[in-house]
Amino acid sequence: MISRNPCIANIKAGYLFPEIARRRREFTASHPETSRPECRIISLGVGNTTEPILPHIDAGLVDGARQLATPEGYSGYQDEGLPALREKISEVFYRKGFGPDEIFISDGAKCDIGRLQLLFGSKIPVAVQDPSYPVYVDGSVLIGAAGAWEGTGYRGISYLPCNAENGYFPDLSALPRDGICYFCSPNNPTGATADREQLDALVKAAGEKGALIIFDAAYMGYIRDPALPKSIFEIAGARECAIEVNSFSKPAGFTGVRLGWTVVPKELKYSGGESVNADWARVSGTIFNGASNIAQAGALAALDGEGVREMRELCDFYLGNAALIRGALEKRGIPCVGGDNSPYIWARFPGRDSWDVFNQILEKCYVVTTPGSGFGPAGESFIRFSSFGHRADVEEACERLSRL
Ligand code: MLT
């Protein structure tokens, strides 16, 4: 019989969000009152967008689909992505700082995070902010770069705690040498956004330690404070030590449409001097056939003047939700971060077990959240609230949170 990849056996539990969905189903089945409107379950759990795609961007998608039915407009494989879209991304987000061959269109940030690990193999040290988006850790386990689960984390992963005491920015002296460091800002799950000085320190530390930063900027569209950097490439020296993954999911409502991009600068080299950019073109050209051309037509519409305005409007809507949720929690005396330049609110329940608090909120308020411990050991005693929801649901959830 075929043997199982031992790396899969190392994965401790189911992926966090399906596990939450399973618990929600179990709770609904055993609580018949959830069929009554006042007890219906409201999700502030997974960060899944809920609002319709706005008209101009939608028209781009529709037009993209129509083009496919015409001889002039038909297109097949797009490999690394439509050149016009790659140029537009460079113009809108990077002040034309990258050539189209440094920007790779993907089917989403999460998918590229998984594929990127192929570049570095299983022998490199991996560091993550703790707590962090589970894909960085689970993906590292699957590729064999992390060992078995031990106590509260995986052997071989350096967890860099981000907590109230350090302002949710890690102690960079713990960054392992010659490894990769996943860094997400605005952060999922804490909602904290690194400032320029902090990102300067990150790039400097990566340079000193020979580390490569995989910078996840999927929530950059939520930054409203003009002093905060949106991309790692606003920081001098980042081109030599960073890759940035990004996404249309959260700013344009493309969680189901699927579209993202990854920036791999030509300056980025391995220890042997080889080009990371050339390898990424080779790897993605081999195991990825390019993103949907319809989605790319939608993205082109999202990046013209009207599309950019619509993306801002959509992010503002969710930020409005975030302000309501944070306000409701703070009214109960629950300390929070995030929700201002990020769609996530990170709420602290000192001394409590995250899953216990998750259960309590579900039982008392019929609201689904995400337990902080699911994002790493330093997430224990925290709950993440997502602001992705219809306004009426968020308002009702906020009212119910007064029962806490
Ligand atoms: C989350 O809730 O963290 C989201 O599912 C993240 C994502 O995969 O986009």
Side-chain angles (χ1 to χ4, degrees):
M1 291 236 315
I2 190 88
S3 60
R4 188 186 192 198
N5 175 350
C7 300
I8 298 181
N10 277 341
I11 288 272
K12 183 183 160 261
Y15 185 58
L16 178 62
F17 297 107
E19 173 61 17
I20 290 168
R22 189 189 66 73
R23 289 183 186 228
R24 173 186 175 155
R25 276 194 306 275
E26 237 175 61
F27 181 83
T28 310
S30 58
H31 290 75
E33 76 276 17
T34 51
S35 62
R36 298 204 310 266
E38 71 277 16
C39 299
R40 84 198 150 81
I41 300 215
I42 297 174
S43 176
L44 302 180
V46 63
N48 195 5
T49 48
T50 55
E51 300 310 294
I53 290 175
L54 287 164
H56 178 77
I57 299 176
D58 186 56
L61 290 167
V62 170
D63 192 48
R66 287 228 174 89
Q67 292 280 335
L68 291 177
T70 66
E72 321 71 53
Y74 178 77
S75 56
Y77 293 129
Q78 291 295 325
D79 300 324
E80 290 107 352
L82 286 175
L85 179 58
R86 302 163 90 183
E87 269 164 31
K88 198 71 187 167
I89 287 173
S90 181
E91 177 192 323
V92 172
F93 298 113
Y94 305 104
R95 300 176 175 201
K96 300 194 179 171
F98 292 102
D101 50 356
E102 293 173 291
I103 295 174
F104 298 78
I105 308 300
S106 72
D107 50 349
K110 184 192 209 172
C111 319
D112 263 2
I113 288 164
R115 288 187 286 258
L116 275 166
Q117 290 176 326
L118 290 173
L119 294 179
F120 312 106
S122 59
K123 300 279 184 281
I124 44 137
V126 173
V128 293
Q129 288 161 288
D130 176 21
S132 74
Y133 183 38
V135 183
Y136 314 143
V137 170
D138 287 3
S140 304
V141 176
L142 287 174
I143 202 164
W149 182 265
E150 264 176 7
T152 56
Y154 287 99
R155 193 159 22 94
I157 299 262
S158 300
Y159 293 86
L160 310 180
C162 296
N163 48 40
E165 290 66 45
N166 61 21
Y168 298 93
F169 186 80
D171 171 7
L172 296 170
S173 65
L175 200 64
R177 194 158 278 288
D178 303 329
I180 54 177
C181 170
Y182 289 96
F183 198 95
C184 178
S185 179
N187 189 263
N188 179 12
T190 68
T193 306
D195 64 24
R196 199 164 292 279
E197 205 178 304
Q198 290 171 326
L199 291 189
D200 266 335
L202 177 66
V203 167
K204 187 160 170 271
E208 284 165 8
K209 295 273 178 90
L212 185 141
I213 302 161
I214 299 187
F215 191 80
D216 183 346
Y219 299 95
M220 65 147 67
Y222 288 80
I223 295 179
R224 290 292 171 271
D225 178 346
L228 293 172
K230 293 187 168 170
S231 162
I232 191 68
F233 297 117
E234 290 179 39
I235 307 300
R239 283 171 178 264
E240 285 77 24
C241 68
I243 288 174
E244 181 165 296
V245 290
N246 220 313
S247 171
F248 285 94
S249 288
K250 307 299 159 74
F254 274 21
T255 42
V257 174
R258 309 300 316 144
L259 203 73
W261 72 91
T262 292
V263 184
V264 186
K266 291 210 170 140
E267 290 88 336
L268 198 57
K269 299 281 194 287
Y270 298 103
S271 54
E274 308 91 335
S275 159
V276 178
N277 176 288
D279 274 7
W280 182 237
R282 177 71 172 87
V283 167
S284 46
T286 305
I287 58 165
F288 178 57
N289 252 349
S292 147
N293 36 20
I294 300 172
Q296 293 188 70
L300 268 172
L303 295 181
D304 66 21
E306 180 58 10
V308 168
R309 194 201 60 71
E310 285 187 348
M311 287 201 287
R312 193 174 171 90
E313 181 185 325
L314 189 64
C315 295
D316 280 344
F317 172 83
Y318 292 122
L319 284 168
N321 285 349
L324 291 174
I325 297 166
R326 184 165 172 169
L329 291 166
E330 286 179 337
K331 217 159 138 192
R332 307 302 304 157
I334 299 166
C336 298
V337 280
D340 36 11
N341 294 290
S342 145
Y344 297 122
I345 298 106
W346 190 237
R348 193 173 181 191
F349 296 82
R352 303 275 311 276
D353 174 278
S354 293
W355 279 109
D356 285 350
V357 183
F358 169 90
N359 288 333
Q360 187 197 5
I361 299 173
L362 188 55
E363 276 157 24
K364 282 196 173 170
C365 311
Y366 299 98
V367 170
V368 171
T369 56
T370 307
S373 56
F375 296 102
E380 189 55 279
S381 302
F382 285 87
I383 289 286
R384 190 193 76 173
F385 289 82
S386 152
S387 67
F388 295 106
H390 302 309
R391 181 59 52 85
D393 288 345
V394 168
E395 282 170 351
E396 176 154 357
C398 288
E399 249 182 71
R400 293 187 196 167
L401 289 174
S402 66
R403 297 174 200 160
L404 287 179

